[in-house]
Amino acid sequence: MELDGVVFYGRLGHLALQMYGLDGELSRWRGARVLDCPGGPSSLAALLARAGVEVVACDPLYGLSIAELRQRSIADLELSIAKSINSPMLRRGFDLEQVRRHHLEGLEVFLADREAAPERYVAASLPELPFASASFDLVLSGHLLFSYAPLAAGGLMAGAGFDLDWHRRALAELRRVSCSEIRLYPGHTQSMPAEPHPYAEALLAELPTPWRGCFAARRYDQGFSGFTDGLQLWRS
Ligand SMILES: C[S@@+](CC[C@H](N)C(=O)[O-])C[C@H]1O[C@@H](n2cnc3c(N)ncnc32)[C@H](O)[C@@H]1O
């Protein structure tokens, strides 16, 4: 699949929990400060807030009105589905109608939460975030890094995409605002068969002290390719 820009797409909260490997450990993060960057139109932040997590989500589009967010999200959902239909990345039996239902369900939860708790949703873009250093115990980042690298580098972007230097700066910023742990998903190429993303391998190899990290596989079958792994980083 090829895209010309980053889509404003959001996973249902409980599917995002599985993706990040948080579904079995929510109680561990109750009262902790968690950043979801980028949050997109996902219901993850609303779900975490309801579970007692002090969560902030950020995304460049969070400055839009509720009507604009809904319109952009639905337009990008339809664009993604149209692009996916003939994609060789689509695994056999993958249910695009279910994707649409999940997305629309998550979108309504996101919009209601954004209206009820606007302070939870901050307009911001990597590689520069408006948060103090070490503000968050856990930083989550899904479907931005690696996925929007140029096509030739294993990403989805038909145009320039985010290059390795952008990824270095983005990850340095995520490390700056995290005092403990970062989970990045997915960490594989957008190809069939998917492989560990070369930028992810490069970033892991050059992690500065005291950071350590590894690829972490998840039992999560929502991806087009049915394959999901990511990166888990922590301060040692
Ligand atoms: C595919 S969505 C992923 C949303 C969510 N993490 C998920 O997995 O459902 C990618 C998001 O990245 C946001 N985005 C685009 N450029 C960005 C940047 N430079 N920094 C942070 N977020 C960005 C988009 O607005 C979009 O909401």
Side-chain angles (χ1 to χ4, degrees):
M1 181 160 80
E2 297 182 23
L3 292 171
D4 297 320
V6 182
V7 291
F8 189 54
Y9 187 94
R11 256 139 279 274
L12 255 185
H14 75 271
L15 296 178
L17 280 188
Q18 283 175 26
M19 181 175 84
Y20 290 118
L22 288 169
D23 43 343
E25 54 175 63
L26 253 192
S27 56
R28 175 181 158 203
W29 299 103
R30 197 160 293 134
R33 300 159 304 165
V34 173
L35 174 66
D36 183 18
C37 170
S42 162
S43 54
L44 176 63
L47 186 158
L48 289 174
R50 252 182 263 129
V53 175
E54 263 185 55
V55 58
V56 171
C58 69
D59 195 287
L61 296 187
Y62 283 168
L64 298 180
S65 68
I66 296 286
E68 289 166 332
L69 288 167
R70 178 180 280 113
Q71 187 201 26
R72 173 66 188 263
S73 170
I74 291 173
D76 281 8
L77 168 68
E78 295 307 332
L79 173 75
S80 308
I81 288 181
K83 294 250 180 189
S84 306
I85 287 170
N86 298 315
S87 168
M89 277 292 284
L90 201 64
R91 68 190 150 94
R92 195 190 296 262
F94 190 77
D95 184 351
L96 281 171
E97 272 315 308
Q98 188 185 56
V99 166
R100 180 182 273 119
R101 279 196 307 277
H102 282 169
H103 180 97
L104 294 174
E105 192 185 325
L107 171 64
E108 292 310 320
V109 174
F110 158 72
L111 292 175
D113 196 53
R114 148 76 194 261
E115 201 149 43
E119 69 287 354
R120 191 151 36 241
Y121 296 92
V122 175
S125 301
L126 284 169
E128 281 168 27
L129 299 178
F131 307 115
S133 297
S135 303
F136 299 99
D137 302 299
L138 174 64
V139 171
L140 305 172
S141 186
H143 295 272
L144 179 66
L145 276 76
F146 317 123
S147 301
Y148 289 91
L151 278 176
L156 293 168
M157 289 287 250
F162 295 125
D163 64 10
L164 180 57
D165 182 55
W166 183 90
H167 278 75
R168 283 199 176 101
R169 289 185 290 131
L171 185 58
E173 186 67 346
L174 295 176
R175 284 198 312 266
R176 183 185 68 77
V177 300
S178 167
C179 63
S180 163
E181 193 177 324
I182 303 174
R183 298 186 192 186
L184 294 168
Y185 284 85
H188 55 74
T189 54
Q190 300 292 319
S191 57
M192 196 70 114
E195 288 165 10
H197 197 286
Y199 292 178
E201 291 182 316
L203 295 179
L204 278 179
E206 62 193 41
L207 276 180
T209 310
W211 285 92
R212 304 191 62 188
C214 63
F215 279 96
R218 297 272 172 241
R219 279 193 297 122
Y220 167 77
D221 66 357
Q222 301 300 318
F224 288 172
S225 62
F227 176 89
T228 294
D229 71 355
L231 271 65
Q232 200 144 341
L233 312 181
W234 62 95
R235 280 181 192 266
S236 57

